[in-house]
Amino acid sequence: MRKMIYGSLMVMLSVLVVGCASSTAENIEINDDKVPSIYSVIGEKKIVGTNSEVENKVRKTTLTYKAGSISEKEMQEYIDYLRETENYVYTLDTKQSTEGTMLQLGKESVTSGKIILVDVLYPAMASESVKIMYRSGEGSLKINE
């Protein structure tokens, strides 16, 4: 009986550890790619939710940050860093909705035939959380120069 309880506790603990993201991680790892985290660009921000899944061969990791913890200026600094230092490009026009401002950045993956997408949802109201989704899947970016 003790072994069964101990085993159950170990399984629950491993699920909790895998399901949590560190607010001080330098990078977000998506398959073979590493995307600089909010922490590595603007400092530690409280993560209140994480979700990682694979759907239709696309790996997704969504981080939800504490409401009001990331200012619009800080978010712009993060976006500018990804674009200017990491060579991300806008892949969708910025969209305004009742939820807030949504934009998407993309970059070719280190794995041939794949891309990385970073979706940012900055809320309309400061009382709501910032969400950033990191995805990696099949595709390519055609950039007109």
Side-chain angles (χ1 to χ4, degrees), residues 5 24 26 36 40 42 50 61 68 75-76 95 107 128 141:
I5 291 171
T24 58
E26 290 287 328
S40 69
I42 61 174
T50 61
T61 298
M75 184 54 63
Q76 190 59 53
K95 295 179 185 178
K107 178 179 174 178
E128 296 176 6
L141 295 175

Side-chain angles (χ1 to χ4, degrees), residues 78-92:
Y78 181 61
I79 292 164
D80 290 345
Y81 178 86
L82 291 178
R83 293 187 66 234
E84 295 166 8
T85 306
E86 299 293 324
N87 301 314
Y88 280 79
V89 296
Y90 287 110
T91 53
L92 286 177

Side-chain angles (χ1 to χ4, degrees), residues 51-79:
N51 184 33
S52 238
E53 62 183 325
V54 177
E55 185 178 314
N56 297 326
K57 297 183 183 179
V58 175
R59 179 167 178 72
K60 299 179 198 177
T61 298
T62 303
L63 301 179
T64 304
Y65 290 88
K66 182 179 179 182
S69 68
I70 301 175
S71 70
E72 203 168 337
K73 181 181 176 185
E74 289 173 320
M75 184 54 63
Q76 190 59 53
E77 185 179 337
Y78 181 61
I79 292 164

Side-chain angles (χ1 to χ4, degrees), residues 13-72:
L13 182 60
S14 65
V15 167
L16 286 173
V17 169
V18 170
C20 296
S22 170
S23 59
T24 58
E26 290 287 328
N27 296 295
I28 307 300
E29 294 185 20
I30 304 294
N31 293 332
D32 296 330
D33 296 287
K34 293 181 180 181
V35 181
S37 67
I38 285 278
Y39 171 75
S40 69
V41 178
I42 61 174
E44 185 174 4
K45 301 296 177 181
K46 175 115 175 107
I47 296 173
V48 295
T50 61
N51 184 33
S52 238
E53 62 183 325
V54 177
E55 185 178 314
N56 297 326
K57 297 183 183 179
V58 175
R59 179 167 178 72
K60 299 179 198 177
T61 298
T62 303
L63 301 179
T64 304
Y65 290 88
K66 182 179 179 182
S69 68
I70 301 175
S71 70
E72 203 168 337

Side-chain angles (χ1 to χ4, degrees), residues 118-132:
V118 178
D119 297 332
V120 175
L121 177 60
Y122 193 82
M125 301 183 64
S127 61
E128 296 176 6
S129 302
V130 171
K131 292 184 181 183
I132 304 176

